[in-house]
Amino acid sequence: MNRPVTALLGPTNTGKTYLAIERMLSHPTGMVGFPLRLLARENYDRVAALKGEDAVALVTGEERIIPERPAYFICTVEAMPLERRVDFLAVDEVQLAADRERGHVFTDRILHARGRLETWLIGAETIRPLLRRLLPDAAFQTRPRLSTLSYSEPKRLGKLPPRSAVVVFSVREVYEVAERIRRERGGAALVFGALSPRTRNAQVGLYQGGDVDHLVATDAIGMGLNLDIDHVVFTGLAKFDGVGPRQLNAAEVGQIAGRAGRHVRDGQFGPTADLGPFDRRLVDAVEGHRFASQRSIYWRSDALDFFSPLSLLGSLEKRPRESCFIRMRHADDHRALALLVRDSETMSLARGPEAVELLWEVCRVPDFQ
């Protein structure tokens, strides 16, 4: 379990994830954690087609397809069954350790998730200095982008070129923008995280098959969904991140814009006419893939005390020793536990380590509302 870690870093469209899957399949067993359920499903389908459905498991917060003896596990990062030992283990988009909602999970995987023979951490160059600090023995590899990404002037929704993806930041806006495009251009597919796998596959099929020329999606597409997109068009540069609205930073804009172009085909990005032109400094950063390094990431103690609900709560509130760590304060499971310890009936049931551990499992059930 002390084998060295490989950090495979670079911008979008470098083939990092493809290479990781190929590497995993060269081992007898393996596991990859992806940042999105949609992306996990896409790669599960790919591995199942190569190795057969009996050889691969899909484990996410909403889906569990686990054959009797799977050799490979394709998961969301939160759902990785780390108690299973595998020869190869990879975590995708590790720069999300800086995410306010989920960062502590990615940080935990960076620090603790390991394969028996090989471990890969895949992500953006922005996290390189922090990985060097936390994992001084890691080996670093850089992958260059395979195509050119260039800025395009603002475009009206009714004048979008074919093979365009319009990126929005709320489900409500997905439907509003799609309706506008349908009125003016005749059709649009929708992709966002809350879609069921069947609906998502049908929508992607419409776009990939050429039945519609436009895609309306949330920023989920920035996390590596492989679609034939020539143009990425932004309707805004702000998002709600679980705590409140905030502006996207240049690296996040680059991650989303980088979905334009595939393999060696060049891509373009830009704003809608309603949003107006991008700042030239932002354009230069995205075109040149030059972004500020991350200075801090979110962290939560993994040394949990199951003696009692209150001791568990106390262990979750431990402060980090590393100055680059920000203690995670807003996680849903932590907030659920904090509410439940005020309930006398729950406290009467949660007696003994096994019951407290079960209570913690209940707190960690995802909120699908």
Side-chain angles (χ1 to χ4, degrees):
M1 294 298 288
N2 295 319
R3 297 277 181 172
V5 173
T6 297
L8 185 63
L9 307 178
T12 54
N13 192 28
T14 59
K16 300 187 298 294
T17 303
Y18 182 88
L19 192 63
I21 292 291
E22 291 293 303
R23 188 68 174 176
M24 178 185 75
L25 296 180
S26 72
H27 288 277
T29 61
M31 182 185 301
V32 182
F34 290 100
L36 295 175
R37 176 173 59 88
L38 300 180
L39 189 56
R41 181 75 201 203
E42 178 182 297
N43 282 279
Y44 165 79
D45 291 341
R46 178 185 161 202
V47 175
L50 290 170
K51 293 292 186 177
E53 293 185 356
D54 289 342
V56 57
L58 174 66
V59 185
T60 74
E62 293 180 314
E63 288 185 280
R64 291 176 65 86
I65 303 173
I66 305 178
E68 188 174 351
R69 291 187 180 87
Y72 305 106
F73 284 79
I74 307 298
C75 321
T76 48
V77 170
E78 285 87 343
M80 295 173 76
L82 296 177
E83 71 280 359
R84 286 186 178 259
R85 296 291 187 89
V86 292
D87 297 316
F88 176 91
L89 185 144
V91 184
D92 196 20
E93 305 292 2
V94 291
Q95 75 277 1
L96 286 176
D99 182 79
R100 252 197 245 182
E101 288 187 274
R102 310 167 63 204
H104 64 291
V105 179
F106 285 81
T107 300
D108 179 81
R109 304 299 184 256
I110 289 169
L111 295 175
H112 305 298
R114 298 292 182 267
R116 276 192 296 239
L117 301 178
E118 208 170 355
T119 301
W120 282 19
L121 301 177
I122 307 162
E125 281 285 344
T126 53
I127 200 169
R128 179 186 290 262
L130 284 175
L131 291 182
R132 283 199 181 281
R133 175 176 174 175
L134 298 172
L135 306 172
D137 295 329
F140 285 80
Q141 297 182 22
T142 300
R143 299 275 295 181
R145 185 176 165 91
L146 299 173
S147 63
T148 300
L149 183 63
S150 57
Y151 177 67
S152 176
E153 293 301 322
K155 290 179 172 58
R156 290 175 47 205
L157 289 177
K159 298 290 185 180
L160 293 178
R163 315 313 292 165
S164 291
V166 182
V167 177
V168 301
F169 294 94
S170 72
V171 174
R172 177 183 59 80
E173 197 179 1
V174 167
Y175 289 107
E176 290 176 354
V177 170
E179 184 57 33
R180 286 180 61 186
I181 293 175
R182 283 168 179 158
R183 284 200 306 266
E184 299 184 39
R185 300 304 302 270
L190 311 180
V191 172
F192 54 93
L195 289 178
S196 70
R198 179 178 295 179
T199 304
R200 174 257 176 182
N201 290 342
Q203 290 292 305
V204 169
L206 282 175
Y207 178 78
Q208 292 288 82
D211 295 302
V212 296
D213 258 336
H214 300 93
L215 178 73
V216 183
T218 59
D219 57 324
I221 67 167
M223 290 295 105
L225 296 181
N226 294 309
L227 302 170
D228 293 322
I229 298 170
D230 292 335
H231 307 263
V232 169
V233 182
F234 291 77
T235 62
L237 291 177
K239 67 177 289 185
F240 181 83
D241 67 356
V243 178
R246 65 167 178 83
Q247 290 293 117
L248 298 176
N249 60 48
E252 290 171 320
V253 174
Q255 183 79 27
I256 299 166
R259 289 300 102 201
R262 187 153 184 208
H263 195 53
V264 296
R265 192 176 70 239
D266 294 340
Q268 292 185 319
F269 71 98
T272 60
D274 291 339
L275 178 59
F278 283 173
D279 183 277
R280 190 67 233 177
R281 290 170 296 181
L282 174 60
V283 171
D284 291 343
V286 174
E287 287 185 335
H289 316 297
R290 293 185 297 271
F291 307 111
S293 296
Q294 293 169 226
R295 297 182 178 180
S296 57
I297 53 180
Y298 284 88
W299 172 92
R300 185 170 73 183
S301 174
D302 65 317
L304 301 184
D305 184 349
F306 293 110
F307 179 76
S308 71
L310 289 176
S311 63
L312 173 58
L313 193 61
S315 63
L316 288 168
E317 294 173 354
K318 287 180 182 176
R319 296 185 177 276
R321 295 183 179 180
E322 292 279 353
S323 60
C324 62
F325 289 160
I326 303 170
R327 182 166 68 88
M328 184 63 193
R329 301 171 185 271
H330 305 291
D332 286 345
D333 50 11
H334 190 165
R335 288 188 292 187
L337 179 64
L339 287 171
L340 285 172
V341 296
R342 301 176 194 170
D343 180 71
S344 58
E345 185 176 359
T346 299
M347 291 293 279
S348 67
L349 292 170
R351 293 181 177 176
E354 289 187 5
V356 175
E357 194 163 356
L358 178 60
L359 172 63
W360 181 232
E361 287 185 33
V362 171
C363 292
R364 296 180 70 188
V365 172
D367 179 2
F368 295 117
Q369 184 175 349

